[in-house]
Amino acid sequence: MTDQQPLARPSAPWMLSLDAWLADWAGADSSRAAVARTLSQIGQACRDIAHVVAQGPLAGALGDATGAANADGDAQTTLDVRANDLLRDALAQAPVAYFASEEEETIQTLAEDGAIAVAVDPLDGSSNIRVDVSVGTIFSLYPAKPGDPEGSLLRAGREQLAAGYVIYGPHTALVLTVGAGVDLFVLDPRDDTFKCVKQGLAIPPTTSEFAINASNYRFWATPVRAFVDDCLEGTEGPRQKNFNMRWIASMVADAHRIFTRGGVFLYPADSRPGYSKGRLRLLYEAAPIALLTEQAGGGATDGMEPILDLVPDQLHARIPLIFGSREKIDRIAKYHADPSLVQDVSPLFRERGLFRK
């Protein structure tokens, strides 16, 4: 966030529609009004995306590859393209100067006099749509710099004005921060509006769950292996308790579990070609999730540095991402910061000093 005063929540948020919540929050402040209008349009676009997702195969082959690739070389699905178009068209009706998307090669100028710059991952987890797994939209708002598209978006995550995600699951939920905690909205199918159902989401400080793709174990750096080994040793290991491992392969779905009941998500860099700098995008995925996580009392890091302190060096820069319960993030950071705490030997025969009393 910028150095502006903390942003207050609406005084009585329970069951307010998103638009009423935003109007209450913005009041007579013109800068907040621009943020509110932009978030309202994102909400409308995500409502429309939710309708398409809910139709599944009735809406066509949404999960099929289009034959094209996004700006970073990943195969695009039909739903990726439709979600991107819905968001861009909606934001063209808001005070948005610049629109950056994981699905677009360059930053799009929507209104040169707009006050807001928006970055979106239109459809996170789209490869799972054919198997009916939850997918989502991630978004981030920054103050626009007139005439400077890249300068508006290539900046530290702490300068975000707002961030959030929408998860399209058994119900459609919006998790949102405007810099004063995190609030939860649910799309009410009776009147097609997002309504505030919980104020002040807080990630539990500790947990017994972690999410990582264990099939890549052999490619991980030693600190990541050591953390996972300790968890897998359960009550017989240095952590002295059992853990559950989760991996949905849809980051928004993993994030929503963490915001609901705690946990930690790890998508580290590894030794595979193309993964040495991580795989998730700093601008579109890591920075907004990091802002939400910190606002909910958790932490987010690349293993060494807080995500929100990092500045992307290009529009589609990739980064390792670890986020979730604060105690787990601090522990993982210690592994990365001090190699002496890790011995690269079989977990059944090693001893380490980090957890010894």
Side-chain angles (χ1 to χ4, degrees):
M1 296 295 294
T2 60
D3 58 0
Q4 61 189 356
Q5 292 296 314
L7 306 178
R9 292 193 189 93
S11 56
W14 173 248
M15 293 299 287
L16 280 178
S17 70
L18 176 62
D19 283 349
W21 188 99
L22 290 168
D24 191 1
W25 168 75
D29 187 317
S30 60
S31 61
R32 287 191 182 188
V35 172
R37 177 62 177 158
T38 302
L39 291 172
S40 175
Q41 289 300 111
I42 289 173
Q44 291 184 39
C46 290
R47 175 203 62 196
D48 294 341
I49 295 169
H51 291 167
V52 177
V53 171
Q55 292 179 61
L58 299 174
L62 298 176
D64 284 0
T66 63
N70 65 18
D72 216 22
D74 296 331
Q76 286 181 319
T77 68
T78 301
L79 188 55
D80 284 319
V81 176
R82 291 184 68 175
N84 186 73
D85 291 348
L86 286 167
L87 282 159
R88 186 184 57 225
D89 292 348
L91 288 170
Q93 308 304 313
V96 174
Y98 308 117
F99 172 78
S101 168
E102 185 177 314
E103 304 302 328
E104 302 271 6
E105 186 77 28
T106 60
I107 299 171
Q108 308 296 307
T109 299
L110 300 184
E112 293 195 7
D113 60 347
I116 306 296
V118 178
V120 299
D121 178 355
L123 217 291
D124 176 74
S126 59
S127 63
N128 290 316
I129 193 66
R130 295 177 68 181
V131 294
D132 207 17
V133 169
S134 296
V135 294
T137 297
I138 308 172
F139 58 87
S140 179
L141 276 62
Y142 292 86
K145 296 181 178 181
D148 187 3
E150 288 199 351
S152 296
L153 290 157
L154 302 186
R155 57 208 298 182
R158 295 199 188 280
E159 297 184 52
Q160 292 173 90
L161 297 171
Y165 67 79
V166 173
I167 180 169
Y168 312 105
H171 63 265
T172 297
L174 163 65
V175 176
L176 175 67
T177 182
V178 289
V182 178
D183 291 354
L184 172 65
F185 300 78
V186 169
L187 185 63
D188 188 339
R190 296 169 296 184
D191 60 8
D192 230 15
T193 61
F194 282 101
K195 293 185 175 142
C196 185
V197 297
K198 186 168 184 178
Q199 183 180 26
L201 284 183
I203 297 173
T206 189
T207 178
S208 59
E209 290 187 340
F210 66 100
I212 194 168
N213 185 353
S215 68
N216 296 319
Y217 180 92
R218 65 193 185 280
F219 301 111
W220 298 336
T222 300
V224 176
R225 287 194 193 189
F227 172 78
V228 172
D229 287 344
D230 282 346
C231 293
L232 295 178
E233 287 183 56
T235 56
E236 293 78 21
R239 305 297 301 284
Q240 299 182 342
K241 71 175 181 177
N242 293 322
F243 287 80
N244 291 321
M245 183 169 65
R246 311 294 187 191
W247 183 253
I248 302 175
S250 175
M251 187 184 68
V252 162
D254 281 309
H256 202 62
R257 184 185 60 253
I258 289 169
F259 278 89
T260 302
R261 67 188 193 200
V264 63
F265 172 96
L266 301 95
Y267 203 139
D270 62 47
S271 62
R272 289 174 294 165
Y275 287 75
S276 62
K277 294 183 179 180
R279 195 65 183 169
L280 299 177
R281 283 77 170 179
L282 175 54
L283 177 61
Y284 307 109
E285 296 163 314
I289 291 295
L291 183 62
L292 286 164
T293 304
E294 286 203 6
Q295 285 290 317
T301 177
D302 66 351
M304 295 292 291
E305 302 290 337
I307 292 292
L308 293 181
D309 291 343
L310 303 178
V311 178
D313 59 4
Q314 56 181 299
L315 197 57
H316 300 285
R318 295 184 188 263
I319 195 168
L321 176 60
I322 302 168
F323 70 90
S325 297
R326 171 58 65 181
E327 182 264 343
K328 295 294 180 293
I329 297 303
D330 292 344
R331 190 180 301 275
I332 293 166
K334 288 179 182 178
Y335 277 116
H336 283 81
D338 189 351
S340 69
L341 298 174
V342 178
Q343 297 180 24
D344 192 13
V345 295
S346 167
L348 295 178
F349 300 101
R350 73 179 187 275
E351 291 184 1
R352 282 198 306 280
L354 180 59
F355 305 112
R356 287 187 292 178
K357 306 208 175 177

